[in-house]
Amino acid sequence: MELQCPAKNSWPELVGTKGEKAAERIEGENPHVRAIVVLVGTVVTMDYRCDRVWVWVNKHGLVTRVPRRG
């Protein structure tokens, strides 16, 4: 069974931008989610949640992966 989440699900245009700014934009575009900035290599839970977006950043704070719901 596939989960259906309302509104936007990914933000490829934010790769390379500052993580905090990306999180603000994500939450502004989709009020159904909370964007969480995470340093690459950090261990996170693998459960899928429609109300969460991981924003993966490098040591310089730049987004390295497409932010997606999950």
Side-chain angles (χ1 to χ4, degrees):
M1 182 170 112
E2 184 176 323
L3 293 174
Q4 296 296 319
C5 302
K8 193 168 181 178
N9 290 305
S10 67
W11 290 262
E13 68 276 12
L14 297 179
V15 173
T17 64
K18 287 283 190 183
E20 292 299 326
K21 291 289 186 186
E24 288 175 16
R25 181 165 166 190
I26 290 166
E27 290 177 353
E29 289 183 7
N30 188 339
H32 303 285
V33 301
R34 179 169 170 244
I36 303 167
V37 179
V38 183
L39 184 63
V40 170
T42 302
V43 177
V44 297
T45 183
M46 296 300 292
D47 64 320
Y48 186 87
R49 293 182 49 172
C50 283
D51 64 343
R52 178 179 60 214
V53 175
W54 297 119
V55 180
W56 294 96
V57 297
N58 62 17
K59 65 181 180 179
H60 303 291
L62 298 177
V63 178
T64 59
R65 301 182 197 168
V66 174
R68 300 181 192 283
R69 278 185 170 183

